[in-house]
């Protein structure tokens, strides 16, 4: 099998790429419309307007494109190959000596170009844009001066006090009560002249139905020519900062790159914190290109049999069924890895291997 692309490779790859792009744009458009309709109920909260909702959806498009690409790839690949099969072009290609493996390689090379683009997008544009979207929504809805810095966590302001938290998470108790927990918190209190009056460090800041509580407190108060330090195991913090607004502004795992996810995982493990959500996202990024290519290669054998006699509806149905089956398998193994605490690498490797095995078995059965 020659590795250099030939004219038939370009033809098959171009056909598949065009159908994948069409399906991708349709799915992305439908997802964006549904997201915009979901934001309609939030319009009017604070300063949140239709323009803010539209801007939020626009900022989330790179992340949505990244998420929807695997499904668009398998549906588009099946529709493109099904179109070639329905017009007997696949039969003609086989008649001139092309093997199924060669056609599958043509599909894989074509899709690898878009996959590489999505990997770069998932590490650069998508996290940045999603972070901007979350900050825009939080500041408009809750009227809070707040920003999320890439390397220094969450920043918020209340009067003359500035809050900085490195990480945090929102927890739900068994009775449904929400608790916001911030880690490595620093409170900077400034005077009217802009001078730093006090710097308070807290190991954690917890907000529940009883209000804010700082734990592991160390406060430095600055005089004209002196500094006084006070250390407390815990203390109440009389603040009106909205916990929901702060939770919305926290840097979520999906907004981080692979390097930042790795740093967050190491930090949480060193401090005895739950890192499973970050590990899930981290290994999902590494297995993303493998999942896309394995999913599409596993679907290729269907184009040589049942799709030849079927119409567009049959190809679309099989593509959606195959993609949804894979996503459900991946979700199941991911949840099992989190619940049973086994390696996420195993959880992300099993679905593509299982789908490839089923596809190979069906292919041999059809040939036999």
């Amino acid at each position: 099998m020659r590795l250099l692309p030939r004219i038939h490779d370009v033809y098959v790859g171009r056909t598949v790429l065009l159908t994948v792009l069409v399906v991708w744009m349709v799915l992305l458009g439908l997802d964006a419309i549904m997201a915009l309709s979901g934001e309609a109920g939030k319009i009017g909260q604070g300063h949140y307007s239709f323009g803010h909702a539209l801007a939020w959806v626009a900022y989330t498009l790179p992340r949505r494109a990244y998420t929807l690409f695997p499904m668009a790839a398998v549906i588009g690949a099946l529709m493109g190959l099904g179109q070639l099969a329905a017009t007997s072009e696949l039969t003609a290609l086989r008649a001139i000596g092309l093997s199924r493996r060669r056609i599958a390689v043509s599909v894989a090379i074509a899709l690898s170009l878009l996959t590489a683009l999505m990997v770069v997008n998932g590490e650069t544009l998508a996290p940045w844009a999603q972070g901007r979207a979350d900050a825009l929504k939080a500041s408009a809805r809750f009227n809070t001066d707040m920003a999320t810095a890439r390397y220094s966590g969450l920043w918020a302001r209340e009067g003359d006090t500035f809050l900085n938290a490195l990480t945090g998470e929102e927890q739900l108790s068994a009775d449904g009560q929400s608790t916001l927990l911030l880690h490595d918190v620093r409170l900077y209190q400034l005077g009217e002249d802009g001078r730093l009056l006090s710097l308070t460090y807290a190991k954690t800041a917890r907000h529940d139905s009883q209000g804010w509580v700082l734990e592991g407190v160390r406060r430095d108060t600055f005089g004209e020519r002196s500094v006084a330090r006070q250390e407390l195991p815990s203390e109440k913090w009389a603040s009106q900062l909205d916990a929901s607004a702060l939770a919305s502004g926290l840097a979520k795992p999906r907004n981080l790159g692979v390097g930042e996810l790795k740093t967050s995982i190491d930090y949480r493990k060193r401090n005895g914190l739950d890192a499973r959500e970050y590990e899930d996202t981290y290994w999902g990024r590494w297995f993303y290109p493998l999942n896309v290519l394995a999913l599409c290669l596993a679907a290729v054998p269907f184009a040589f049999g049942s799709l030849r006699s079927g119409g567009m509806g049959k190809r679309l149905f099989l593509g959606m069924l195959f993609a949804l089956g894979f996503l459900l398998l991946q979700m199941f193994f991911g949840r099992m890895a989190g619940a049973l605490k086994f390696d996420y690498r195993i959880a992300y490797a099993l679905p593509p291997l299982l789908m490839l095995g089923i596809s190979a078995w069906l292919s041999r059965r059809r040939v036999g």
Side-chain angles (χ1 to χ4, degrees), residues 134-156:
D134 293 340
L136 172 68
K137 179 191 285 189
S139 61
R141 286 181 61 193
F142 301 105
N143 300 325
T144 302
D145 294 329
M146 184 172 56
T148 302
R150 190 173 181 83
Y151 298 105
S152 56
L154 174 71
W155 286 89

Side-chain angles (χ1 to χ4, degrees), residues 2-336:
R2 294 185 179 182
L3 296 180
L4 294 178
R6 306 290 295 274
I7 188 170
H8 45 72
D9 297 315
V10 175
Y11 180 72
V12 172
R14 184 180 60 188
T15 302
V16 170
L17 278 180
L18 287 176
T19 53
V20 167
L21 288 174
V22 170
V23 173
W24 198 10
M25 291 302 103
V26 171
L27 292 178
L28 187 59
L30 291 175
D31 191 45
I33 291 173
M34 292 177 62
L36 186 60
S37 64
E39 292 298 299
K42 302 181 180 68
I43 294 176
Q45 298 178 1
H47 296 302
Y48 197 63
S49 63
F50 179 77
H52 288 106
L54 199 61
W56 179 82
V57 172
Y59 271 124
T60 62
L61 286 179
R63 192 261 305 169
R64 296 178 189 279
Y66 179 88
T67 304
L68 291 172
F69 177 68
M71 182 177 291
V74 67
I75 295 176
L78 276 174
M79 293 183 67
L81 290 174
Q83 177 183 340
L84 295 177
T87 56
S88 300
E89 290 176 274
L90 280 186
T91 304
L93 292 174
R94 294 295 307 280
I96 64 174
L98 287 184
S99 64
R100 294 185 178 188
R101 182 183 303 177
R102 179 69 191 218
I103 296 175
V105 168
S106 303
V107 174
I109 292 175
L111 290 178
S112 64
L113 300 176
L114 289 179
T115 304
L117 180 62
M118 281 298 98
V119 169
V120 175
N121 171 55
E123 289 300 304
T124 54
L125 180 60
W128 173 83
Q130 186 65 48
R132 294 278 297 177
D134 293 340
L136 172 68
K137 179 191 285 189
S139 61
R141 286 181 61 193
F142 301 105
N143 300 325
T144 302
D145 294 329
M146 184 172 56
T148 302
R150 190 173 181 83
Y151 298 105
S152 56
L154 174 71
W155 286 89
R157 177 187 177 185
E158 182 189 29
D160 59 358
T161 302
F162 292 82
L163 175 144
N164 171 234
L166 186 60
T167 62
E169 65 268 349
E170 195 172 15
Q171 302 172 341
L172 289 177
S173 60
D175 57 357
Q177 295 294 323
S178 176
T179 300
L180 179 65
L181 189 63
L182 303 177
H183 304 283
D184 283 348
V185 178
R186 290 169 176 80
L187 300 173
Y188 303 88
Q189 184 180 9
L190 303 181
E192 294 182 357
D193 57 354
R195 185 172 61 88
L196 181 63
L197 299 180
S198 68
L199 169 60
T200 302
Y201 170 81
K203 186 176 181 181
T204 60
R206 181 186 301 272
H207 182 276
D208 52 23
S209 57
Q210 304 300 318
W212 286 99
V213 176
L214 303 178
E215 298 176 349
V217 180
R218 184 180 70 243
R219 178 178 295 109
D220 294 324
T221 304
F222 302 94
E224 289 291 340
R225 298 184 179 181
S226 63
V227 178
R229 170 165 291 187
Q230 182 184 21
E231 296 188 3
L232 299 168
S234 65
E235 71 171 359
K236 292 271 188 182
W237 180 35
S239 173
Q240 300 301 317
L241 278 176
D242 194 315
S244 299
L246 294 179
S248 300
L250 286 172
K252 300 175 179 59
R254 67 183 182 183
N255 299 351
L256 303 176
V258 168
E260 295 164 316
L261 286 169
K262 179 61 175 171
T263 302
S264 298
I265 291 170
D266 293 339
Y267 166 81
R268 288 176 172 270
K269 287 184 175 180
R270 285 197 309 269
N271 292 275
L273 303 174
D274 187 6
R276 286 177 294 177
E277 185 179 3
Y278 290 80
E279 289 181 313
D280 189 5
T281 306
Y282 176 77
W283 289 113
R285 296 280 181 82
W286 280 109
F287 279 89
Y288 182 86
L290 174 63
N291 287 338
V292 173
L293 296 179
L295 182 59
C296 293
L297 290 177
V300 165
F302 289 94
F304 294 96
S306 60
L307 292 182
R308 185 180 298 115
S309 58
M312 184 69 71
K314 184 177 181 180
R315 294 194 288 273
L316 182 61
F317 173 75
L318 281 176
M320 294 182 66
L321 186 65
F322 205 81
L324 288 175
F326 177 81
L327 293 176
L328 289 175
L329 267 178
Q330 192 177 64
M331 186 182 299
F332 170 76
F333 282 114
R335 296 293 184 270
M336 290 296 292

